[in-house]
């Protein structure tokens, strides 16, 4: 099915797109980190109970970023944004910076970003490339404690209004490398219009695979460059 070149496209990505860059997905290894369930670390309650553990979890992941590079799938999506005549909105659940480094600019990090912190006092969002702990203080107000700028379970994801507005009017919605376990992202496919082309690209069917009209099975680094080339007609 061909789309008008000025059509709006929404692409949702999950941990599977960064897997081939060397970043573990959430539901690999049974979703465990040092024998803690990710769900027991990525919550406001966990942060309140044991902030040192939660800071360490995110410090480790932040430190791993310089050692990984965007892969062919990240680069293909940046190409799509550059070469497509209409709007391409890339919504990622990933907190890594691989889409940014690949060159995507119309990009929303709905679950936050590892390289940012947020002040618990003045709520400023801050660039934070290094480690963070209970002694970290906000450079904007000079007083507030800083937490990772991450959307934990039970918190409202970022940019929701803008995402739903674009979903309602998009001609194509594609979900890449996401398991469909976590809402609201897992429900985006149900928020598009009746004419919208919906495509799932994944190693295996997600939990919400039945809601998509088209499915492509395989690795993101194979599927995504081919899908983008097809959309661009090259
Ligand atoms: C490959 C591949 C390769 C591998 N190539 N593919 C019941 C119903 C509805 C909702 C709820 C409910 N009960 C509770 C909720 C709410 C809750 C939720 O969804 N819980 C579920 C567990 C049931 N959600 C929330 O709390 C969210 N907030 C919320 O709902 O607020 C209310 C509200 C919403 C909207 C408007 C107003 C109010 C917040 C969710 C925050 C999620 N946070 C996390 C952790 C923080 C970030 C971090 O520490 O990194 O975000 S959880 C974790 O899962 C992370 C991810 O972004 C997220 C999604 O995971 P993802 O990306 O799908 O990864 P995996 O590992 O699950 O899957 C990888 C996939 O890749 C697999 O399918 C593989 O096959 C594939 N793959 N290699 C292609 N090479």
């Amino acid at each position: 099915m061909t789309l008008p070149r000025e059509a709006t496209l929404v692409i949702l990505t999950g941990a599977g797109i960064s897997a081939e860059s060397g970043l573990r997905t959430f539901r690999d290894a049974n979703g465990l980190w040092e024998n803690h369930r990710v769900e027991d670390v990525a919550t406001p309650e966990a942060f309140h109970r044991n902030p040192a553990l939660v800071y360490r979890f995110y410090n480790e992941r932040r430190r791993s970023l310089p050692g990984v590079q965007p892969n062919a799938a990240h680069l293909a999506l940046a190409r799509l944004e550059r070469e497509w005549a209409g709007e391409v909105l890339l919504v990622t659940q990933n907190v890594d910076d691989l889409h940014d480094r690949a060159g995507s600019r119309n990009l929303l990090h709905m679950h936050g970003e590892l390289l940012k912190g947020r002040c618990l006092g003045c709520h400023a969002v801050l660039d934070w490339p290094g480690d963070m702990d209970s002694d970290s203080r906000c450079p904007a107000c000079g007083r507030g404690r800083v937490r990772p700028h991450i959307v934990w379970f039970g918190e409202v994801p970022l940019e929701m209004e803008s995402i739903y507005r674009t979903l309602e009017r998009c001609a194509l919605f594609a979900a890449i490398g996401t398991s469909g376990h976590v809402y609201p992202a897992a429900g985006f496919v149900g928020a598009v219009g009746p004419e919208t082309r919906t495509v799932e690209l994944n190693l295996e069917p997600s939990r919400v695979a039945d809601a998509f009209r088209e499915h492509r099975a395989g690795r993101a680094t194979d599927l995504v460059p081919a899908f983008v080339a097809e959309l661009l007609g090259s």
Side-chain angles (χ1 to χ4, degrees), residues 14-16 19-20 25-27 42 57-58 61 93-95 111 150-157 160 177-184 202-204 218-220:
E20 291 166 74
T25 65
F26 289 90
R27 274 144 269 274
F57 177 62
Y58 289 102
R61 291 172 57 200
Q93 297 169 86
N94 299 342
V95 297
H111 288 165
I150 300 288
V151 177
W152 289 323
F153 284 110
E155 297 185 318
V156 179
M160 292 312 298
T178 177
S179 62
H181 275 76
V182 177
Y183 287 82
N202 203 318
L203 266 186
E204 53 192 38
R219 301 185 319 167

mmCIF file of all heavy atoms in Angstrom, residues 14-16 19-20 25-27 42 57-58 61 93-95 111 150-157 160 177-184 202-204 218-220, ligand 1:
data_model
loop_
_atom_site.group_PDB
_atom_site.id
_atom_site.type_symbol
_atom_site.label_atom_id
_atom_site.label_comp_id
_atom_site.label_asym_id
_atom_site.label_seq_id
_atom_site.Cartn_x
_atom_site.Cartn_y
_atom_site.Cartn_z
ATOM 1 N N GLY A 14 10.943 0.554 20.812
ATOM 2 C CA GLY A 14 11.171 0.008 22.151
ATOM 3 C C GLY A 14 12.571 -0.586 22.224
ATOM 4 O O GLY A 14 13.376 -0.453 21.285
ATOM 5 N N ALA A 15 12.823 -1.276 23.321
ATOM 6 C CA ALA A 15 14.172 -1.753 23.619
ATOM 7 C C ALA A 15 14.762 -2.631 22.510
ATOM 8 O O ALA A 15 15.984 -2.680 22.341
ATOM 9 C CB ALA A 15 14.145 -2.522 24.930
ATOM 10 N N GLY A 16 13.893 -3.314 21.728
ATOM 11 C CA GLY A 16 14.392 -4.201 20.673
ATOM 12 C C GLY A 16 15.220 -3.485 19.618
ATOM 13 O O GLY A 16 16.108 -4.086 19.011
ATOM 14 N N ALA A 19 18.766 -3.370 20.901
ATOM 15 C CA ALA A 19 19.364 -4.643 21.331
ATOM 16 C C ALA A 19 20.629 -4.961 20.531
ATOM 17 O O ALA A 19 21.646 -5.391 21.091
ATOM 18 C CB ALA A 19 18.346 -5.771 21.188
ATOM 19 N N GLU A 20 20.567 -4.709 19.218
ATOM 20 C CA GLU A 20 21.731 -5.045 18.393
ATOM 21 C C GLU A 20 22.863 -4.021 18.528
ATOM 22 O O GLU A 20 23.949 -4.240 17.990
ATOM 23 C CB GLU A 20 21.305 -5.203 16.934
ATOM 24 C CG GLU A 20 20.442 -6.433 16.734
ATOM 25 C CD GLU A 20 19.743 -6.406 15.380
ATOM 26 O OE1 GLU A 20 20.421 -6.638 14.378
ATOM 27 O OE2 GLU A 20 18.530 -6.107 15.349
ATOM 28 N N THR A 25 17.382 -5.731 26.501
ATOM 29 C CA THR A 25 15.965 -5.371 26.558
ATOM 30 C C THR A 25 15.457 -5.655 27.987
ATOM 31 O O THR A 25 16.171 -6.253 28.790
ATOM 32 C CB THR A 25 15.135 -6.174 25.534
ATOM 33 O OG1 THR A 25 15.174 -7.539 25.908
ATOM 34 C CG2 THR A 25 15.655 -6.001 24.123
ATOM 35 N N PHE A 26 14.231 -5.205 28.281
ATOM 36 C CA PHE A 26 13.722 -5.331 29.649
ATOM 37 C C PHE A 26 13.280 -6.734 29.982
ATOM 38 O O PHE A 26 13.459 -7.203 31.091
ATOM 39 C CB PHE A 26 12.556 -4.371 29.869
ATOM 40 C CG PHE A 26 13.061 -2.979 29.912
ATOM 41 C CD1 PHE A 26 13.161 -2.235 28.765
ATOM 42 C CD2 PHE A 26 13.511 -2.446 31.096
ATOM 43 C CE1 PHE A 26 13.685 -0.974 28.782
ATOM 44 C CE2 PHE A 26 14.049 -1.183 31.130
ATOM 45 C CZ PHE A 26 14.132 -0.441 29.970
ATOM 46 N N ARG A 27 12.658 -7.377 29.007
ATOM 47 C CA ARG A 27 12.111 -8.683 29.319
ATOM 48 C C ARG A 27 13.073 -9.819 28.949
ATOM 49 O O ARG A 27 12.764 -10.981 29.085
ATOM 50 C CB ARG A 27 10.698 -8.821 28.752
ATOM 51 C CG ARG A 27 9.692 -8.241 29.797
ATOM 52 C CD ARG A 27 8.505 -7.518 29.246
ATOM 53 N NE ARG A 27 8.736 -6.094 29.085
ATOM 54 C CZ ARG A 27 8.568 -5.171 30.042
ATOM 55 N NH1 ARG A 27 8.152 -5.506 31.223
ATOM 56 N NH2 ARG A 27 8.832 -3.909 29.794
ATOM 57 N N ALA A 42 12.299 0.439 39.081
ATOM 58 C CA ALA A 42 11.796 1.568 38.288
ATOM 59 C C ALA A 42 10.438 2.040 38.800
ATOM 60 O O ALA A 42 9.454 2.075 38.055
ATOM 61 C CB ALA A 42 11.729 1.160 36.815
ATOM 62 N N PHE A 57 21.519 1.863 39.768
ATOM 63 C CA PHE A 57 20.934 1.236 38.571
ATOM 64 C C PHE A 57 21.071 2.172 37.366
ATOM 65 O O PHE A 57 21.527 1.781 36.290
ATOM 66 C CB PHE A 57 19.455 0.928 38.867
ATOM 67 C CG PHE A 57 18.666 0.349 37.721
ATOM 68 C CD1 PHE A 57 19.007 -0.870 37.160
ATOM 69 C CD2 PHE A 57 17.548 1.014 37.225
ATOM 70 C CE1 PHE A 57 18.250 -1.420 36.120
ATOM 71 C CE2 PHE A 57 16.787 0.473 36.184
ATOM 72 C CZ PHE A 57 17.146 -0.748 35.639
ATOM 73 N N TYR A 58 20.689 3.436 37.554
ATOM 74 C CA TYR A 58 20.744 4.381 36.430
ATOM 75 C C TYR A 58 22.167 4.866 36.160
ATOM 76 O O TYR A 58 22.512 5.102 34.996
ATOM 77 C CB TYR A 58 19.750 5.537 36.657
ATOM 78 C CG TYR A 58 18.333 5.020 36.486
ATOM 79 C CD1 TYR A 58 17.526 4.733 37.572
ATOM 80 C CD2 TYR A 58 17.842 4.733 35.208
ATOM 81 C CE1 TYR A 58 16.253 4.199 37.415
ATOM 82 C CE2 TYR A 58 16.573 4.195 35.031
ATOM 83 C CZ TYR A 58 15.789 3.928 36.140
ATOM 84 O OH TYR A 58 14.539 3.381 35.957
ATOM 85 N N ARG A 61 23.731 2.289 33.890
ATOM 86 C CA ARG A 61 23.210 2.333 32.519
ATOM 87 C C ARG A 61 23.697 3.588 31.800
ATOM 88 O O ARG A 61 23.998 3.554 30.613
ATOM 89 C CB ARG A 61 21.687 2.224 32.540
ATOM 90 C CG ARG A 61 21.270 0.810 32.991
ATOM 91 C CD ARG A 61 19.817 0.674 33.216
ATOM 92 N NE ARG A 61 19.051 1.017 32.045
ATOM 93 C CZ ARG A 61 17.765 1.356 32.060
ATOM 94 N NH1 ARG A 61 17.119 1.382 33.205
ATOM 95 N NH2 ARG A 61 17.137 1.652 30.963
ATOM 96 N N GLN A 93 10.274 4.722 23.582
ATOM 97 C CA GLN A 93 10.165 4.384 25.005
ATOM 98 C C GLN A 93 11.561 4.258 25.612
ATOM 99 O O GLN A 93 11.712 4.120 26.819
ATOM 100 C CB GLN A 93 9.440 3.048 25.167
ATOM 101 C CG GLN A 93 8.017 3.069 24.658
ATOM 102 C CD GLN A 93 7.463 1.654 24.596
ATOM 103 O OE1 GLN A 93 6.950 1.122 25.573
ATOM 104 N NE2 GLN A 93 7.554 1.030 23.432
ATOM 105 N N ASN A 94 12.568 4.293 24.736
ATOM 106 C CA ASN A 94 13.935 4.056 25.218
ATOM 107 C C ASN A 94 14.502 5.308 25.874
ATOM 108 O O ASN A 94 14.280 6.420 25.405
ATOM 109 C CB ASN A 94 14.834 3.639 24.050
ATOM 110 C CG ASN A 94 14.349 2.349 23.408
ATOM 111 O OD1 ASN A 94 13.572 1.616 24.023
ATOM 112 N ND2 ASN A 94 14.781 2.085 22.196
ATOM 113 N N VAL A 95 15.283 5.080 26.916
ATOM 114 C CA VAL A 95 15.887 6.211 27.619
ATOM 115 C C VAL A 95 17.342 6.402 27.178
ATOM 116 O O VAL A 95 18.007 7.313 27.653
ATOM 117 C CB VAL A 95 15.759 6.045 29.155
ATOM 118 C CG1 VAL A 95 14.287 6.035 29.565
ATOM 119 C CG2 VAL A 95 16.459 4.797 29.665
ATOM 120 N N HIS A 111 9.461 8.021 27.900
ATOM 121 C CA HIS A 111 9.812 7.488 29.228
ATOM 122 C C HIS A 111 11.040 8.188 29.824
ATOM 123 O O HIS A 111 11.645 7.667 30.763
ATOM 124 C CB HIS A 111 10.050 5.974 29.157
ATOM 125 C CG HIS A 111 8.773 5.194 28.956
ATOM 126 N ND1 HIS A 111 8.749 3.881 28.568
ATOM 127 C CD2 HIS A 111 7.472 5.558 29.105
ATOM 128 C CE1 HIS A 111 7.493 3.452 28.481
ATOM 129 N NE2 HIS A 111 6.695 4.461 28.785
ATOM 130 N N ILE A 150 13.423 9.952 34.474
ATOM 131 C CA ILE A 150 12.913 8.684 33.953
ATOM 132 C C ILE A 150 11.460 8.589 34.396
ATOM 133 O O ILE A 150 11.129 8.956 35.528
ATOM 134 C CB ILE A 150 13.702 7.506 34.587
ATOM 135 C CG1 ILE A 150 15.204 7.583 34.265
ATOM 136 C CG2 ILE A 150 13.108 6.162 34.167
ATOM 137 C CD1 ILE A 150 15.585 7.252 32.839
ATOM 138 N N VAL A 151 10.597 8.076 33.497
ATOM 139 C CA VAL A 151 9.190 7.862 33.874
ATOM 140 C C VAL A 151 9.079 6.458 34.470
ATOM 141 O O VAL A 151 9.276 5.460 33.775
ATOM 142 C CB VAL A 151 8.265 8.008 32.651
ATOM 143 C CG1 VAL A 151 6.810 7.707 33.041
ATOM 144 C CG2 VAL A 151 8.383 9.413 32.063
ATOM 145 N N TRP A 152 8.797 6.415 35.755
ATOM 146 C CA TRP A 152 8.686 5.136 36.444
ATOM 147 C C TRP A 152 7.236 4.657 36.410
ATOM 148 O O TRP A 152 6.306 5.427 36.125
ATOM 149 C CB TRP A 152 9.163 5.290 37.888
ATOM 150 C CG TRP A 152 10.655 5.475 37.991
ATOM 151 C CD1 TRP A 152 11.605 4.871 37.220
ATOM 152 C CD2 TRP A 152 11.370 6.325 38.897
ATOM 153 N NE1 TRP A 152 12.859 5.273 37.606
ATOM 154 C CE2 TRP A 152 12.747 6.166 38.628
ATOM 155 C CE3 TRP A 152 10.988 7.198 39.925
ATOM 156 C CZ2 TRP A 152 13.738 6.844 39.345
ATOM 157 C CZ3 TRP A 152 11.976 7.867 40.643
ATOM 158 C CH2 TRP A 152 13.334 7.688 40.350
ATOM 159 N N PHE A 153 7.047 3.367 36.729
ATOM 160 C CA PHE A 153 5.684 2.815 36.784
ATOM 161 C C PHE A 153 4.834 3.659 37.726
ATOM 162 O O PHE A 153 5.289 4.047 38.813
ATOM 163 C CB PHE A 153 5.701 1.356 37.250
ATOM 164 C CG PHE A 153 6.148 0.415 36.161
ATOM 165 C CD1 PHE A 153 7.369 -0.224 36.230
ATOM 166 C CD2 PHE A 153 5.350 0.199 35.044
ATOM 167 C CE1 PHE A 153 7.789 -1.069 35.211
ATOM 168 C CE2 PHE A 153 5.753 -0.643 34.014
ATOM 169 C CZ PHE A 153 6.974 -1.278 34.110
ATOM 170 N N GLY A 154 3.627 3.963 37.276
ATOM 171 C CA GLY A 154 2.717 4.766 38.086
ATOM 172 C C GLY A 154 2.833 6.256 37.801
ATOM 173 O O GLY A 154 2.022 7.043 38.272
ATOM 174 N N GLU A 155 3.847 6.662 37.010
ATOM 175 C CA GLU A 155 3.988 8.077 36.662
ATOM 176 C C GLU A 155 3.468 8.295 35.238
ATOM 177 O O GLU A 155 3.427 7.356 34.431
ATOM 178 C CB GLU A 155 5.454 8.501 36.755
ATOM 179 C CG GLU A 155 5.993 8.369 38.172
ATOM 180 C CD GLU A 155 7.411 8.889 38.332
ATOM 181 O OE1 GLU A 155 8.247 8.633 37.450
ATOM 182 O OE2 GLU A 155 7.689 9.537 39.345
ATOM 183 N N VAL A 156 3.091 9.535 34.956
ATOM 184 C CA VAL A 156 2.510 9.814 33.637
ATOM 185 C C VAL A 156 3.636 10.029 32.620
ATOM 186 O O VAL A 156 4.509 10.871 32.827
ATOM 187 C CB VAL A 156 1.598 11.060 33.690
ATOM 188 C CG1 VAL A 156 1.020 11.353 32.311
ATOM 189 C CG2 VAL A 156 0.471 10.848 34.699
ATOM 190 N N PRO A 157 3.633 9.263 31.511
ATOM 191 C CA PRO A 157 4.658 9.457 30.486
ATOM 192 C C PRO A 157 4.625 10.883 29.914
ATOM 193 O O PRO A 157 3.625 11.590 30.032
ATOM 194 C CB PRO A 157 4.297 8.407 29.430
ATOM 195 C CG PRO A 157 3.570 7.354 30.203
ATOM 196 C CD PRO A 157 2.784 8.099 31.231
ATOM 197 N N MET A 160 2.294 13.287 26.258
ATOM 198 C CA MET A 160 1.167 12.455 25.844
ATOM 199 C C MET A 160 0.187 13.178 24.917
ATOM 200 O O MET A 160 -0.322 12.590 23.963
ATOM 201 C CB MET A 160 0.427 11.911 27.075
ATOM 202 C CG MET A 160 1.226 10.914 27.885
ATOM 203 S SD MET A 160 1.971 9.636 26.883
ATOM 204 C CE MET A 160 0.534 8.892 26.234
ATOM 205 N N GLY A 177 10.249 -3.272 17.743
ATOM 206 C CA GLY A 177 11.019 -3.785 18.887
ATOM 207 C C GLY A 177 10.436 -3.462 20.243
ATOM 208 O O GLY A 177 11.173 -3.141 21.170
ATOM 209 N N THR A 178 9.117 -3.552 20.355
ATOM 210 C CA THR A 178 8.494 -3.331 21.670
ATOM 211 C C THR A 178 7.525 -4.466 21.961
ATOM 212 O O THR A 178 6.808 -4.929 21.060
ATOM 213 C CB THR A 178 7.832 -1.925 21.763
ATOM 214 O OG1 THR A 178 7.196 -1.808 23.037
ATOM 215 C CG2 THR A 178 6.830 -1.662 20.659
ATOM 216 N N SER A 179 7.508 -4.919 23.224
ATOM 217 C CA SER A 179 6.809 -6.162 23.571
ATOM 218 C C SER A 179 5.306 -5.996 23.774
ATOM 219 O O SER A 179 4.597 -6.982 23.895
ATOM 220 C CB SER A 179 7.412 -6.744 24.850
ATOM 221 O OG SER A 179 7.224 -5.818 25.905
ATOM 222 N N GLY A 180 4.837 -4.727 23.880
ATOM 223 C CA GLY A 180 3.409 -4.506 24.114
ATOM 224 C C GLY A 180 2.975 -4.840 25.528
ATOM 225 O O GLY A 180 1.787 -5.019 25.793
ATOM 226 N N HIS A 181 3.941 -4.880 26.460
ATOM 227 C CA HIS A 181 3.600 -5.163 27.860
ATOM 228 C C HIS A 181 3.221 -3.896 28.612
ATOM 229 O O HIS A 181 2.498 -3.961 29.603
ATOM 230 C CB HIS A 181 4.807 -5.775 28.593
ATOM 231 C CG HIS A 181 4.931 -7.250 28.440
ATOM 232 N ND1 HIS A 181 5.394 -7.847 27.289
ATOM 233 C CD2 HIS A 181 4.660 -8.265 29.300
ATOM 234 C CE1 HIS A 181 5.392 -9.141 27.455
ATOM 235 N NE2 HIS A 181 4.951 -9.428 28.660
ATOM 236 N N VAL A 182 3.785 -2.760 28.191
ATOM 237 C CA VAL A 182 3.694 -1.559 29.024
ATOM 238 C C VAL A 182 2.799 -0.497 28.369
ATOM 239 O O VAL A 182 2.997 -0.134 27.208
ATOM 240 C CB VAL A 182 5.117 -0.996 29.307
ATOM 241 C CG1 VAL A 182 5.047 0.301 30.106
ATOM 242 C CG2 VAL A 182 5.928 -2.031 30.082
ATOM 243 N N TYR A 183 1.827 -0.050 29.131
ATOM 244 C CA TYR A 183 0.891 0.993 28.689
ATOM 245 C C TYR A 183 1.364 2.338 29.202
ATOM 246 O O TYR A 183 2.070 2.382 30.199
ATOM 247 C CB TYR A 183 -0.527 0.676 29.217
ATOM 248 C CG TYR A 183 -1.145 -0.476 28.465
ATOM 249 C CD1 TYR A 183 -0.835 -1.783 28.814
ATOM 250 C CD2 TYR A 183 -1.983 -0.251 27.376
ATOM 251 C CE1 TYR A 183 -1.368 -2.848 28.090
ATOM 252 C CE2 TYR A 183 -2.527 -1.310 26.663
ATOM 253 C CZ TYR A 183 -2.212 -2.606 27.023
ATOM 254 O OH TYR A 183 -2.734 -3.654 26.312
ATOM 255 N N PRO A 184 0.991 3.439 28.544
ATOM 256 C CA PRO A 184 0.052 3.559 27.432
ATOM 257 C C PRO A 184 0.618 3.204 26.050
ATOM 258 O O PRO A 184 -0.160 3.060 25.107
ATOM 259 C CB PRO A 184 -0.357 5.026 27.470
ATOM 260 C CG PRO A 184 0.810 5.717 28.084
ATOM 261 C CD PRO A 184 1.391 4.756 29.078
ATOM 262 N N ASN A 202 9.126 -6.822 14.551
ATOM 263 C CA ASN A 202 9.629 -7.380 15.803
ATOM 264 C C ASN A 202 10.200 -8.771 15.549
ATOM 265 O O ASN A 202 9.839 -9.433 14.580
ATOM 266 C CB ASN A 202 8.473 -7.482 16.821
ATOM 267 C CG ASN A 202 8.967 -7.504 18.266
ATOM 268 O OD1 ASN A 202 9.949 -8.168 18.598
ATOM 269 N ND2 ASN A 202 8.289 -6.778 19.119
ATOM 270 N N LEU A 203 11.069 -9.202 16.443
ATOM 271 C CA LEU A 203 11.603 -10.568 16.372
ATOM 272 C C LEU A 203 10.496 -11.591 16.526
ATOM 273 O O LEU A 203 10.503 -12.635 15.908
ATOM 274 C CB LEU A 203 12.589 -10.800 17.527
ATOM 275 C CG LEU A 203 14.071 -10.571 17.302
ATOM 276 C CD1 LEU A 203 14.834 -11.007 18.548
ATOM 277 C CD2 LEU A 203 14.573 -11.321 16.075
ATOM 278 N N GLU A 204 9.550 -11.273 17.406
ATOM 279 C CA GLU A 204 8.426 -12.194 17.669
ATOM 280 C C GLU A 204 7.169 -11.364 17.878
ATOM 281 O O GLU A 204 7.262 -10.177 18.182
ATOM 282 C CB GLU A 204 8.723 -13.041 18.897
ATOM 283 C CG GLU A 204 9.095 -12.210 20.091
ATOM 284 C CD GLU A 204 9.678 -13.064 21.216
ATOM 285 O OE1 GLU A 204 10.422 -14.008 20.913
ATOM 286 O OE2 GLU A 204 9.352 -12.756 22.374
ATOM 287 N N GLY A 218 11.595 -10.364 12.333
ATOM 288 C CA GLY A 218 13.038 -10.432 12.116
ATOM 289 C C GLY A 218 13.756 -9.430 12.992
ATOM 290 O O GLY A 218 13.167 -8.843 13.904
ATOM 291 N N ARG A 219 15.037 -9.232 12.676
ATOM 292 C CA ARG A 219 15.853 -8.310 13.469
ATOM 293 C C ARG A 219 15.664 -6.886 12.956
ATOM 294 O O ARG A 219 15.589 -6.655 11.734
ATOM 295 C CB ARG A 219 17.333 -8.693 13.348
ATOM 296 C CG ARG A 219 17.617 -10.109 13.829
ATOM 297 C CD ARG A 219 19.088 -10.419 13.806
ATOM 298 N NE ARG A 219 19.733 -9.892 12.596
ATOM 299 C CZ ARG A 219 21.046 -9.801 12.440
ATOM 300 N NH1 ARG A 219 21.844 -10.186 13.407
ATOM 301 N NH2 ARG A 219 21.563 -9.335 11.318
ATOM 302 N N ALA A 220 15.675 -5.949 13.894
ATOM 303 C CA ALA A 220 15.449 -4.549 13.519
ATOM 304 C C ALA A 220 16.461 -4.061 12.488
ATOM 305 O O ALA A 220 16.108 -3.304 11.574
ATOM 306 C CB ALA A 220 15.500 -3.666 14.769
HETATM 307 C C1 LIG B 1 13.755 -7.201 18.870
HETATM 308 C C2 LIG B 1 15.104 -7.428 18.827
HETATM 309 C C3 LIG B 1 15.725 -7.146 17.617
HETATM 310 C C4 LIG B 1 14.516 -7.968 20.758
HETATM 311 N N1 LIG B 1 14.995 -6.666 16.608
HETATM 312 N N2 LIG B 1 13.041 -6.725 17.856
HETATM 313 C C5 LIG B 1 -3.106 -2.525 33.247
HETATM 314 C C6 LIG B 1 -3.550 -2.002 32.041
HETATM 315 C C7 LIG B 1 -3.036 -0.818 31.549
HETATM 316 C C8 LIG B 1 -2.049 -0.140 32.229
HETATM 317 C C9 LIG B 1 -1.598 -0.651 33.417
HETATM 318 C C10 LIG B 1 -2.144 -1.816 33.934
HETATM 319 N N3 LIG B 1 -1.533 -2.058 35.117
HETATM 320 C C11 LIG B 1 -0.620 -1.081 35.341
HETATM 321 C C12 LIG B 1 -0.653 -0.228 34.310
HETATM 322 C C13 LIG B 1 0.182 0.953 34.109
HETATM 323 C C14 LIG B 1 1.635 0.644 33.842
HETATM 324 C C15 LIG B 1 1.811 -0.601 32.994
HETATM 325 O O1 LIG B 1 1.716 -0.587 31.787
HETATM 326 N N4 LIG B 1 2.093 -1.727 33.624
HETATM 327 C C16 LIG B 1 2.216 -2.977 32.882
HETATM 328 C C17 LIG B 1 3.454 -3.725 33.357
HETATM 329 C C18 LIG B 1 0.923 -3.740 33.019
HETATM 330 N N5 LIG B 1 2.127 1.792 33.116
HETATM 331 C C19 LIG B 1 2.548 2.874 33.743
HETATM 332 O O2 LIG B 1 2.613 2.943 34.956
HETATM 333 C C20 LIG B 1 2.910 4.054 32.875
HETATM 334 N N6 LIG B 1 2.197 5.192 33.307
HETATM 335 C C21 LIG B 1 0.866 5.287 33.183
HETATM 336 O O3 LIG B 1 0.175 4.393 32.710
HETATM 337 O O4 LIG B 1 0.367 6.488 33.609
HETATM 338 C C22 LIG B 1 -1.047 6.702 33.520
HETATM 339 C C23 LIG B 1 -1.378 7.624 32.381
HETATM 340 C C24 LIG B 1 -1.016 7.313 31.091
HETATM 341 C C25 LIG B 1 -1.357 8.168 30.040
HETATM 342 C C26 LIG B 1 -2.018 9.325 30.269
HETATM 343 C C27 LIG B 1 -2.374 9.660 31.582
HETATM 344 C C28 LIG B 1 -2.046 8.802 32.625
HETATM 345 C C29 LIG B 1 4.401 4.367 33.006
HETATM 346 C C30 LIG B 1 5.245 3.308 32.369
HETATM 347 C C31 LIG B 1 6.721 3.582 32.619
HETATM 348 C C32 LIG B 1 7.570 2.487 32.021
HETATM 349 N N7 LIG B 1 8.870 2.611 32.468
HETATM 350 C C33 LIG B 1 9.868 1.639 32.011
HETATM 351 C C34 LIG B 1 11.135 1.747 32.904
HETATM 352 C C35 LIG B 1 11.694 3.122 32.963
HETATM 353 C C36 LIG B 1 12.766 3.333 31.991
HETATM 354 C C37 LIG B 1 14.039 2.614 32.334
HETATM 355 O O5 LIG B 1 14.384 2.390 33.488
HETATM 356 O O6 LIG B 1 14.707 2.301 31.356
HETATM 357 O O7 LIG B 1 10.160 1.798 30.639
HETATM 358 S S1 LIG B 1 9.327 -0.052 32.106
HETATM 359 C C38 LIG B 1 10.216 -0.626 30.736
HETATM 360 O O8 LIG B 1 9.264 -1.197 29.788
HETATM 361 C C39 LIG B 1 10.818 0.630 30.081
HETATM 362 C C40 LIG B 1 10.443 0.415 28.625
HETATM 363 O O9 LIG B 1 10.417 1.653 27.947
HETATM 364 C C41 LIG B 1 9.103 -0.273 28.714
HETATM 365 C C42 LIG B 1 8.711 -0.993 27.463
HETATM 366 O O10 LIG B 1 9.557 -2.073 27.214
HETATM 367 P P1 LIG B 1 9.895 -2.458 25.714
HETATM 368 O O11 LIG B 1 10.612 -1.351 25.057
HETATM 369 O O12 LIG B 1 8.681 -2.964 25.042
HETATM 370 O O13 LIG B 1 10.975 -3.621 25.934
HETATM 371 P P2 LIG B 1 10.759 -5.181 26.186
HETATM 372 O O14 LIG B 1 12.022 -5.709 26.761
HETATM 373 O O15 LIG B 1 9.515 -5.453 26.917
HETATM 374 O O16 LIG B 1 10.552 -5.798 24.719
HETATM 375 C C43 LIG B 1 11.583 -5.825 23.764
HETATM 376 C C44 LIG B 1 10.981 -6.302 22.459
HETATM 377 O O17 LIG B 1 11.985 -6.215 21.458
HETATM 378 C C45 LIG B 1 10.490 -7.743 22.484
HETATM 379 O O18 LIG B 1 9.187 -7.788 21.907
HETATM 380 C C46 LIG B 1 11.501 -8.489 21.592
HETATM 381 O O19 LIG B 1 10.869 -9.511 20.795
HETATM 382 C C47 LIG B 1 11.968 -7.388 20.692
HETATM 383 N N8 LIG B 1 13.334 -7.559 20.208
HETATM 384 N N9 LIG B 1 15.506 -7.939 20.094
HETATM 385 C C48 LIG B 1 13.620 -6.494 16.794
HETATM 386 N N10 LIG B 1 17.040 -7.365 17.468
#
